[in-house]
Amino acid sequence: MLSFLIRRLLQTIPTVLAVVLLVFVLFSVVPGSIVSSMSDDADPQVELRLKKQLGLDDPVHVRFGAYIAKLATGDFGTSFRTREPVTAMLAKRAWPTLQLILAAMAFSVVLGVPLGFIAALRPGGLVDSAAMIVAVTGLSIAKFWLGLVIMYVFALKLGWLPSFGYGDGGLKYLLLPALTLGVSPMALFARTTRAAVLEIMTADFVRTARSKGMSETRVVKWHVMRNALVIILTTVGLQFGGLMGQAVVVEKLFSWPGIGSLLVDSVLQRDIPAVQGSILVVVLAFLAINLLVDLLYGVIDPRIRYA
């Protein structure tokens, strides 16, 4: 397992470099720059002085090399807009984003996995039909539209919860954005769990267990559930990483002070170091979750070996 872990960690290096390079190139060719937005007049001398102060007068390859050298020491650079270290900015935004993603994931797993499991045990029944309607609807609804509807109903009409903001970080501020973010993965977990359980229920080892007189409860517990967990865990891991990107819309909609909203604001302001830092954190989180899922495979199914 140690060699597998080391190999996977080394594989992340070219991925991170490719992401950083892509962002550098993208912001080098798009029209406009932070210098033009920061300069109140069109004086070329002012713009040249600002470029020199921000280090934007160097060629792209020189700036890229300097950034990689800083990145190797854990320095994400300094924000063009606020002149604050990007690391400090991300540290302040990390916990709100983590709160939102954990709450959304807990909601989606607790509801989606049991719903899909129960639906698979009674295929074609009322629960199965209702679960699939919920799943298809949840996957089809856009997060922005769903967030507006939830905000209108629970905040404006009923007045139960605040419509936006972080407040003191309490649960009442977290519920609406977490619900908005969690509906789509909940629907996906329900469909994935149902499909996995139905496939395993027809497997040869399940039929063999039944033919030996094993009760249906034990068949489900020891054979169906354990084998289905590998597929479910893969989906959960991918969705957990994917929620880092999907949280951008929800954070902006609910004025949630996370990394997603920081990324959007930084893109609009051409704040390249903040954009690079935000994207890098999202990519690293996605890679870390996938690595954790791969390691958990061996815990769930001891037959899995790491080459």
Side-chain angles (χ1 to χ4, degrees):
M1 181 182 292
L2 181 60
S3 60
F4 170 79
L5 180 61
I6 294 174
R7 186 169 66 252
R8 286 293 302 271
L9 290 176
L10 291 176
Q11 289 173 353
T12 64
I13 296 177
T15 303
V16 172
L17 291 176
V19 170
V20 175
L21 177 61
L22 180 62
V23 174
F24 252 102
V25 172
L26 179 63
F27 275 82
S28 298
V29 299
V30 295
S33 68
I34 190 169
V35 172
S36 59
S37 64
M38 291 174 64
S39 178
D40 295 331
D41 52 44
D43 188 348
Q45 296 299 322
V46 174
E47 292 193 5
L48 287 175
R49 188 163 58 249
L50 284 173
K51 283 185 176 181
K52 187 174 183 61
Q53 291 175 354
L54 298 175
L56 297 177
D57 56 341
D58 295 327
V60 174
H61 67 277
V62 174
R63 287 187 278 126
F64 180 72
Y67 181 73
I68 293 299
K70 287 184 177 181
L71 199 61
T73 64
D75 184 2
F76 281 30
T78 303
S79 169
F80 288 164
R81 179 68 59 175
T82 65
R83 306 309 297 164
E84 182 182 1
V86 175
T87 305
M89 296 172 64
L90 293 172
K92 290 188 294 187
R93 302 281 191 132
W95 174 238
T97 293
L98 188 59
Q99 276 184 297
L100 178 59
I101 292 177
L102 288 176
M105 186 58 64
F107 162 76
S108 58
V109 170
V110 168
L111 289 183
V113 174
L115 184 62
F117 203 91
I118 295 173
L121 295 180
R122 297 289 186 272
L126 180 61
V127 176
D128 185 25
S129 300
M132 290 305 97
I133 292 175
V134 171
V136 172
T137 304
L139 289 172
S140 304
I141 296 178
K143 285 182 172 57
F144 187 82
W145 182 86
L146 177 62
L148 291 176
V149 171
I150 290 176
M151 189 186 299
Y152 176 77
V153 173
F154 292 100
L156 298 182
K157 282 298 183 181
L158 299 177
W160 291 352
L161 298 166
S163 57
F164 61 89
Y166 185 70
D168 57 356
L171 183 61
K172 64 179 181 179
Y173 291 94
L174 180 62
L175 286 176
L176 294 188
L179 178 62
T180 303
L181 186 61
V183 166
S184 179
M186 182 272 292
L188 179 62
F189 294 157
R191 292 192 63 178
T192 303
T193 303
R194 178 182 181 273
V197 172
L198 285 176
E199 181 180 356
I200 294 171
M201 292 280 280
T202 59
D204 291 338
F205 62 87
V206 173
R207 287 195 294 266
T208 301
R210 286 171 175 160
S211 66
K212 291 181 177 180
M214 183 178 290
S215 66
E216 190 67 18
T217 302
R218 290 178 60 85
V219 169
V220 171
K221 180 179 179 181
W222 294 107
H223 294 283
V224 177
M225 185 180 297
R226 190 156 191 169
N227 285 275
L229 276 178
V230 175
I231 301 175
I232 297 170
L233 181 62
T234 302
T235 308
V236 170
L238 292 174
Q239 282 298 300
F240 199 106
L243 285 183
M244 291 288 294
Q246 299 173 28
V248 172
V249 176
V250 177
E251 288 185 3
K252 287 301 294 181
L253 179 62
F254 288 93
S255 298
W256 193 259
I259 294 176
S261 57
L262 173 64
L263 175 59
V264 174
D265 294 339
S266 301
V267 169
L268 296 176
Q269 297 169 352
R270 300 293 195 275
D271 192 347
I272 299 177
V275 173
Q276 291 168 335
S278 301
I279 294 178
L280 191 57
V281 167
V282 173
V283 171
L284 290 176
F286 186 82
L287 295 174
I289 293 299
N290 285 341
L291 177 59
L292 179 61
V293 169
D294 289 343
L295 295 177
L296 288 176
Y297 285 157
V299 177
I300 295 175
D301 190 348
R303 296 172 300 176
I304 297 178
R305 294 291 180 265
Y306 300 101

